[in-house]
Amino acid sequence: MIQRTPARIEARLANNDNRTWQQLLSDSVTTPEALLAGLGLDPARWLGGATAGHRLFPVRVPGPWLARIRHGDPDDPLLRQVLPLHQEQEQVPGYVRDPLDELAATPATGLIRKYRSRALLMITGQCAINCRYCFRRHFPYGEHRLAPEERERALAVLRAAPEINEVIFSGGDPLAVSDRLLARWMAELSGIASLQRVRIHSRLPVVIPQRVCDSLLAWIRQSRLQVVMVLHVNHPAEIDDEVRTALARLRAAGVTLLNQSVLLQGVNDDAALLATLSETLFAAGVLPYYLHAFDPVAGAHHFDVSDQRARALARELQARLPGFLVPRLVREIPGRDGKTPLDLGLEDDGTSAEEARMSNLVNL
Ligand code: SF4
């Protein structure tokens, strides 16, 4: 059933170009009702599941993302990433609240140390968009917000660990905070001699391309630290002309752009589509970096793609693309020093995703 787009949402879409990123962020769609109405989807069919899922992990969709979703199409791959479904309430064995065991790796509030040479700073719990499959959808951000004294403690940990040469701004989405705060972090990190790089994991330049504003580019340009930005794009339709312009501005400021995708059932589990994604990213100046096997987070089992299928897709990608456009198919396994590539050379043996995960854990 196709419905007319309500005037308020039409106004929100029409005005995307003239608004600051802060206005776009604060005017995001945050209820299932508004999301369904804005896209002309039948509430009788979708609202029950969407409301139940929304109670577990709230809806958040900003206008520029909404504008890229096909009106009236419940299977749209961008919509699938943000629309709660009734499956989110199902409890499925093997799908847990903290699949990467991150809470056990948190030495100071807001600081996660999973690897020897790198440390993650969770500078905000806020995201510009709430992705239904997010492995941090249950993370207790409230307990890990960096208050000023915790911020000093996190900096002290970094100063006392000269083996750390890279800080990763993570979240939440680190670009959801003000440029004033980010500039301050950069200034303090620049004073730690052992640090060489800051890596920023963000969806914001794609979700709200207006986020790549002059004040963001100013602190990037001023820092002595190299800046690497790892974007998160799962489908070629996420990249439109505004996103291309934002990415070009980041590149012109000296930022190295990489992308990580998550392999998601019903979104991008198709070799031709993944090949198009790599080509689209590269044309926009972004190197495909990782294709993540799904992390088994509770409430998102319906996105899971078996390891057998993931390997088959990755092999097909290898056959279709030059090597530099093939993202590495990886899984993060708690306790390992880096991501674990899924071995594409093995013959398919019909092993289920869960059996493969268990055997990986046994082999630790
Ligand atoms: S952390 Fe990343 S994947 Fe998770 S909800 Fe935020 S933007 Fe989406």
Side-chain angles (χ1 to χ4, degrees):
M1 173 179 166
I2 305 287
Q3 297 180 336
R4 222 181 80 69
T5 305
R8 193 161 158 264
I9 302 251
E10 275 175 3
R12 181 180 280 151
L13 298 181
N15 285 335
N16 282 343
D17 283 347
N18 306 322
R19 313 179 80 186
T20 65
W21 69 270
Q22 293 95 335
Q23 288 169 324
L24 289 163
L25 188 61
S26 72
D27 202 23
S28 295
V29 167
T30 53
T31 65
E33 291 86 349
L35 181 60
L36 297 175
L39 294 168
L41 294 171
D42 182 2
R45 179 164 174 210
W46 300 102
L47 190 57
T51 303
H54 172 69
R55 284 195 204 106
L56 300 171
F57 183 45
V59 165
R60 171 169 284 278
V61 189
W65 182 274
L66 203 60
R68 293 172 224 155
I69 297 176
R70 288 188 299 264
H71 195 81
D73 180 1
D75 296 324
D76 182 280
L78 274 62
L79 176 65
R80 278 189 60 82
Q81 295 180 55
V82 296
L83 176 65
L85 299 177
H86 68 87
Q87 288 99 320
E88 294 191 20
Q89 304 162 80
E90 296 166 3
Q91 292 184 9
V92 179
Y95 294 82
V96 297
R97 294 176 66 83
D98 183 15
L100 304 188
D101 216 7
E102 291 193 314
L103 289 173
T106 310
T109 302
L111 182 78
I112 296 182
R113 181 107 191 256
K114 293 196 274 193
Y115 310 123
R116 192 178 146 71
S117 63
R118 289 148 281 163
L120 254 89
L121 273 179
M122 303 186 77
I123 52 183
T124 177
Q126 195 187 346
C127 286
I129 187 167
N130 281 350
C131 313
R132 310 313 302 175
Y133 53 84
C134 180
F135 71 84
R136 290 198 185 128
R137 55 179 282 161
H138 306 287
F139 195 85
Y141 285 113
E143 298 164 23
H144 291 267
R145 195 167 298 133
L146 273 161
E149 59 278 15
E150 277 123 22
R151 175 195 161 85
E152 282 313 313
R153 222 173 298 148
L155 284 166
V157 170
L158 294 172
R159 286 189 196 104
E163 70 276 16
I164 296 177
N165 65 8
E166 177 176 321
V167 165
I168 303 171
F169 285 174
S170 187
D173 193 314
L175 295 187
V177 306
S178 72
D179 286 317
R180 222 182 66 189
L181 183 59
L182 288 164
R184 197 171 148 204
W185 269 114
M186 286 299 272
E188 298 199 69
L189 295 175
S190 296
I192 302 176
S194 52
L195 292 180
Q196 295 169 6
R197 286 185 298 280
V198 164
R199 197 194 319 172
I200 302 167
H201 283 197
S202 178
R203 273 204 113 175
L204 253 158
V206 175
V207 170
I208 304 179
Q210 291 82 349
R211 177 64 184 95
V212 183
C213 56
D214 292 346
S215 56
L216 172 87
L217 297 171
W219 61 257
I220 288 176
R221 283 202 176 96
Q222 279 159 18
S223 177
R224 77 158 180 87
L225 299 167
Q226 282 183 299
V227 177
V228 178
M229 197 171 288
V230 182
L231 303 166
H232 172 178
V233 182
N234 297 318
H235 191 283
E238 294 173 36
I239 299 178
D240 63 8
D241 285 344
E242 286 184 333
V243 175
R244 283 187 193 91
T245 301
L247 300 179
R249 295 190 80 200
L250 287 168
R251 282 204 331 278
V255 178
T256 301
L257 295 175
L258 306 172
N259 183 63
Q260 54 185 348
S261 306
V262 183
L263 189 55
L264 298 167
Q265 194 183 125
V267 173
N268 60 8
D269 55 334
D270 177 274
L273 188 142
L274 288 169
T276 303
L277 174 60
S278 280
E279 296 280 6
T280 307
L281 285 165
F282 190 67
V286 184
L287 264 183
Y289 174 40
Y290 282 140
L291 177 61
H292 286 269
F294 184 79
D295 295 312
V297 63
H301 65 94
H302 49 295
F303 286 108
D304 203 351
V305 175
S306 74
D307 283 6
Q308 184 183 0
R309 171 113 180 96
R311 286 189 173 102
L313 288 167
R315 281 195 295 263
E316 205 177 325
L317 262 191
Q318 276 185 336
R320 286 172 182 256
L321 292 170
F324 64 94
L325 289 187
V326 180
R328 292 173 71 202
L329 178 64
V330 293
R331 158 160 297 120
E332 187 157 335
I333 298 176
R336 288 228 175 145
D337 196 15
K339 310 265 189 276
T340 302
L342 269 70
D343 185 351
L344 306 188
L346 294 178
E347 288 301 312
D348 292 337
D349 59 2
T351 307
S352 72
E354 190 48 30
E355 285 165 344
R357 280 181 198 122
M358 290 315 293
S359 99
N360 277 335
L361 290 172
V362 168
N363 290 337
L364 261 175

